[in-house]
Amino acid sequence: ARVRQLEAERDQLLKKTSILPQHNPKVLSDHLGYHSLIVEPDSVGSVSPHQIDIKLTWPPWLGSIALVPAFKSAGSGVAAYAFPRRFKIEVLNAKTDEFEVVVNWMEEDFPDPGLYPVFFSEINRSTKHVRITVPQMVQESGAAYFALGEIYIFQQGVDGLIGANMTAWGSNVVKVTASGSLTQIPLWDAQNLNDNVQGLGFPLSDERVATEDLVIKYEDGMPFSGQVKFILDLGEPLIVGRIDFWPAAAPYGVEIPAFGFPKEISVKISRDPDFKTARKLEAQSFRGNLFSVIGRGATAQYVHITLEGFREYKGMPVLGLGEISVCRDDRAMSINCKVVAEGIPEEYLDQLPRLVDGFSRQRRILPQGEWIKGLAQRRPLDRRLAVVERDLELAQAAWQHIKQRSGMWAIVIAFAGLAGGVVLQQRMRKQGIKKLKWRITRDLHDEVGSNLGSISLAAEQLKHAVANAEAEENLRDLSLLAREASASLREVVWVIDQSTIRLPLLIQKLAERAERVLDEMELFIEISKDCPDCVVSFAFKRHLIMFFKEAVHNCARHSGATQVWVDFSIVDQHLRISLRDNGCGFDSSAPSSGWGLDSMKERAEEMGGEIELISQVGTGTTIVLEIPLAILSSEPRNAYTTSN
């Protein structure tokens, strides 16, 4: 059961993470991020807090901020490095020219993000200056310092979407400075905070799709000029922010970072298809995992790409591209656009749509904001998944050990079971029959025996009866006792046949008793339709039957009534049983002869209920019993015993 529970939770967590971005963090050997100066232990407390300032040339509308940890190698894996435990983020109000705190973790430690970015949304302010303040916090080594891998500042997009990353807009728009920086280029530098290079992997979803990258192998006999050209038609003139080139995935999952990626890429853009007036774009090297060309807001409809310097795979030239993405404000504008090519074999022409399908490495390409936010959302899910998988492994090992040990005893138990099973079954069956017979005998004796004895006594009296009136009275008593005996016998058989006794059926049986015993009178029975379907304990069943039997018996024998009203209702979470007749009545204040009424009162008290008796000479009799519904399924407080 534990294994199945953990497997179900694991599958649920995997389903949730499958729609979030892929998470493959790694340490970049030539790029670590930003590192503050190291404050010696004896200087901690006397040095001012670190400050990182991001200034923009104009105040855009800021929507969210994300911080990416710096990574370090840890054995054969990756670990986060020196993420600030306490910090605050402020933005300069464009109207008041004063800083406002939008994120404050100065009073308590921020939860360790591990290998995941942290994402702060709903900033919703127009600003051109963001400041991050980090106080001097001592690390395990005793010195004070911190590190960050990247800072993202996202615009507020339309329709609630995350806009472009403003920190990547270039030095002519964004300037990043930091106090007390440890500079060791290219590993550590303040400019690494907004260069869009970090170890989080590709901005891809985790869910696989049935798509492939474009991989062209120039086998022997295929024409190969050493140059490939692509022309993308965006459909209309658009502002080009940048053009991203995605490396293709290497075959068989081999770790080749730039499989089939050309050594030289040149790009020009134009408004006209003939490129008579064209603008050549500045090519950048790889920005993390992607090769990017900056458009700087130029307007164009056509993109001309020339690829040269092909690498070889198994002795043949190979070209591998996962996607060519023309972006503005981090939104791809080239999805499913028209692509034509020169310099590729004819049999590969039908694969050109793979370059602009919005997928790479069999996963959907994500905008940066959606990617970073999704990675932050993965953190609690991945951590819980790690715990579940660990517990599942332990539970599976324990279950396997139990099965192995159980197997050694299985044969012995099987033979012992076969040998003793028949004997045990027969013994249990005999005991069950014996107990059943004993219960039936006891109930028949208690419920029916005394009535049958009374019938016998009445028959003896009839023999000596002389007056017709007396004989008629005895015959009437004999008939009444016979009817009561029949009703009791039916109730005993019914109880034996039931595994549980439920209140609606019990009320029905009480009504049937009234119909049988009071058949000489005009009877009116009302049963509430909102009676709850609750279980009645055996003891309460017996008390109710015996109480009702006594009430019906008194009515039939002593009231002389011609009409009787019986009502079963639910009032304020109480079962209410009322029996009223139009008979002779009696003085209820006078001492009662016999102990029938006393027995009824004691049964009502034992059931935790209340009894009300209303009667006067010549006005009939009313008896009402009320019992809380909540106690019907329990056992009475005392083992009360009554006579039959």
Side-chain angles (χ1 to χ4, degrees):
R2 177 62 173 163
V3 169
R4 288 194 294 269
Q5 176 190 3
L6 291 170
E7 287 176 341
E9 185 177 0
R10 178 201 58 189
D11 294 343
Q12 186 179 23
L13 289 169
L14 289 174
K15 184 177 180 180
K16 291 180 179 179
T17 56
S18 68
I19 61 176
L20 294 175
Q22 185 183 36
H23 186 230
N24 292 316
K26 64 179 180 179
V27 178
L28 303 178
S29 59
D30 60 346
H31 188 287
L32 296 178
Y34 167 80
H35 201 297
S36 70
L37 281 178
I38 301 173
V39 179
E40 303 293 338
D42 55 354
S43 300
V44 174
S46 62
V47 181
S48 300
H50 294 284
Q51 285 188 343
I52 299 173
D53 291 278
I54 302 102
K55 298 180 180 179
L56 299 100
T57 57
W58 54 280
W61 196 262
L62 188 152
S64 50
I65 298 173
L67 305 179
V68 179
F71 299 149
K72 69 175 182 178
S73 299
S76 59
V78 185
Y81 174 69
F83 190 83
R85 298 204 308 272
R86 297 193 180 184
F87 58 90
K88 67 177 179 180
I89 302 177
E90 302 170 281
V91 298
L92 186 67
N93 189 304
K95 295 181 179 180
T96 64
D97 204 33
E98 295 181 355
F99 279 99
E100 298 177 352
V101 178
V102 293
V103 177
N104 191 354
W105 282 89
M106 298 292 280
E107 303 300 326
E108 58 179 317
D109 288 354
F110 186 80
D112 180 16
L115 300 175
Y116 300 83
V118 295
F119 194 90
F120 305 103
S121 58
E122 300 182 1
I123 305 298
N124 297 332
R125 283 171 172 80
S126 175
T127 185
K128 61 179 181 180
H129 190 170
V130 177
R131 172 174 290 169
I132 301 175
T133 303
V134 181
Q136 303 294 337
M137 297 296 295
V138 177
Q139 303 289 335
E140 294 181 358
S141 61
Y145 57 89
F146 74 96
L148 284 174
E150 189 80 11
I151 296 176
Y152 290 91
I153 300 179
F154 295 105
Q155 273 187 302
Q156 180 63 49
V158 296
D159 298 329
L161 298 176
I162 304 172
N165 173 29
M166 296 183 289
T167 59
W169 281 352
S171 58
N172 60 330
V173 180
V174 182
K175 184 178 181 180
V176 178
T177 59
S179 65
S181 300
L182 173 65
T183 301
Q184 188 178 347
I185 298 175
L187 297 179
W188 300 110
D189 188 66
Q191 302 307 313
N192 291 349
L193 286 172
N194 67 319
D195 60 356
N196 221 9
V197 179
Q198 27 62 31
L200 291 173
F202 290 98
L204 297 170
S205 68
D206 203 18
E207 185 177 14
R208 287 186 175 273
V209 292
T211 62
E212 297 292 340
D213 295 338
L214 177 65
V215 178
I216 301 173
K217 300 176 183 178
Y218 290 90
E219 300 177 356
D220 293 341
M222 289 184 177
F224 177 66
S225 64
Q227 188 180 80
V228 172
K229 296 180 180 180
F230 296 111
I231 297 179
L232 278 61
D233 182 356
L234 301 178
E236 60 179 326
L238 298 171
I239 297 175
V240 178
R242 72 174 190 276
I243 303 173
D244 292 333
F245 294 83
W246 289 68
Y252 311 113
V254 178
E255 184 61 27
I256 303 177
F259 173 77
F261 203 83
K263 298 177 182 178
E264 298 181 19
I265 299 178
S266 59
V267 179
K268 58 183 178 179
I269 59 177
S270 176
R271 290 175 177 264
D272 62 87
D274 297 329
F275 289 88
K276 292 180 180 179
T277 56
R279 178 176 178 178
K280 187 175 181 179
L281 300 184
E282 174 188 355
Q284 281 190 344
S285 59
F286 275 92
R287 294 163 56 246
N289 296 299
L290 306 180
F291 185 90
S292 295
V293 175
I294 304 302
R296 298 196 182 281
T299 301
Q301 180 175 342
Y302 302 94
V303 180
H304 188 285
I305 302 165
T306 302
L307 309 177
E308 296 178 293
F310 295 92
R311 307 172 193 274
E312 290 191 353
Y313 176 71
K314 293 185 177 181
M316 68 184 77
V318 62
L319 170 63
L321 286 175
E323 183 83 0
I324 299 176
S325 182
V326 182
C327 302
R328 178 193 176 187
D329 293 340
D330 207 34
R331 299 289 165 177
M333 304 180 296
S334 54
I335 301 295
N336 298 325
C337 73
K338 183 180 178 181
V339 183
V340 296
E342 296 179 11
I344 69 172
E346 185 176 354
E347 54 264 38
Y348 286 98
L349 291 177
D350 62 343
Q351 298 183 19
L352 291 180
R354 296 180 180 180
L355 293 175
V356 290
D357 60 358
F359 295 88
S360 180
R361 298 168 180 257
Q362 296 186 324
R363 290 176 169 86
R364 181 170 66 92
I365 297 173
L366 302 175
Q368 279 189 333
E370 180 183 342
W371 173 50
I372 295 298
K373 182 178 181 180
L375 288 176
Q377 292 173 336
R378 278 193 72 119
R379 179 179 58 178
L381 299 176
D382 284 345
R383 289 187 172 180
R384 178 57 188 168
L385 181 60
V387 172
V388 169
E389 289 180 336
R390 181 196 63 198
D391 292 349
L392 178 59
E393 183 179 355
L394 294 174
Q396 288 173 333
W399 175 233
Q400 188 64 28
H401 181 65
I402 291 172
K403 290 194 294 184
Q404 290 175 351
R405 293 190 61 181
S406 300
M408 295 187 298
W409 293 96
I411 298 177
V412 176
I413 294 175
F415 279 112
L418 289 174
V422 176
V423 176
L424 181 61
Q425 185 179 17
Q426 291 178 347
R427 182 176 298 175
M428 292 177 63
R429 185 176 180 182
K430 290 180 180 179
Q431 290 178 349
I433 294 174
K434 183 178 179 180
K435 290 180 179 179
L436 181 60
K437 288 181 177 180
W438 180 79
R439 290 173 182 170
I440 293 174
T441 303
R442 182 192 61 186
D443 285 343
L444 288 174
H445 177 270
D446 292 342
E447 297 281 349
V448 185
S450 61
N451 286 344
L452 293 177
S454 299
I455 292 173
S456 176
L457 180 60
E460 286 295 325
Q461 292 174 348
L462 286 174
K463 294 180 182 180
H464 306 286
V466 176
N468 290 336
E470 184 179 358
E472 183 179 354
E473 179 68 18
N474 286 337
L475 284 173
R476 191 173 71 85
D477 289 344
L478 182 63
S479 176
L480 173 61
L481 292 175
R483 293 197 302 272
E484 290 183 336
S486 176
S488 297
L489 184 59
R490 286 176 178 269
E491 289 167 356
V492 169
V493 173
W494 167 68
V495 169
I496 292 174
D497 192 48
Q498 301 296 312
S499 57
T500 58
I501 300 171
R502 312 193 78 85
L503 182 58
L505 191 54
L506 176 58
I507 291 176
Q508 186 63 38
K509 293 300 177 182
L510 296 179
E512 290 175 4
R513 169 179 279 273
E515 291 174 349
R516 290 191 180 93
V517 176
L518 304 176
D519 66 340
E520 295 180 357
M521 304 174 185
E522 187 176 6
L523 181 63
F524 305 91
I525 298 179
E526 290 289 337
I527 299 178
S528 175
K529 294 182 179 180
D530 59 351
C531 179
D533 188 23
C534 61
V535 176
V536 181
S537 70
F538 181 83
F540 272 103
K541 183 277 307 181
R542 179 174 179 80
H543 279 313
L544 283 172
I545 289 178
M546 298 305 293
F547 178 94
F548 193 76
K549 173 186 174 181
E550 190 70 37
V552 172
H553 175 83
N554 290 340
C555 179
R557 184 175 183 118
H558 304 297
S559 69
T562 59
Q563 292 180 322
V564 179
W565 293 265
V566 179
D567 179 62
F568 301 92
S569 59
I570 305 298
V571 180
D572 295 331
Q573 297 299 312
H574 283 67
L575 171 63
R576 189 174 188 271
I577 301 176
S578 172
L579 191 147
R580 178 170 62 89
D581 64 53
N582 66 346
C584 61
F586 63 95
D587 184 3
S588 59
S589 62
S592 61
S593 58
W595 63 299
L597 293 179
D598 292 336
S599 173
M600 294 169 67
K601 292 178 181 179
E602 290 174 354
R603 286 189 186 277
E605 181 181 355
E606 173 62 22
M607 288 186 287
E610 295 180 356
I611 185 174
E612 181 180 7
L613 180 64
I614 303 173
S615 184
Q616 292 182 357
V617 176
T619 62
T621 301
T622 299
I623 185 166
V624 180
L625 172 66
E626 287 193 1
I627 307 171
L629 289 173
I631 67 172
L632 286 178
S633 299
S634 61
E635 293 296 330
R637 295 183 297 272
N638 301 305
Y640 174 65
T641 303
T642 63
S643 168
N644 289 318

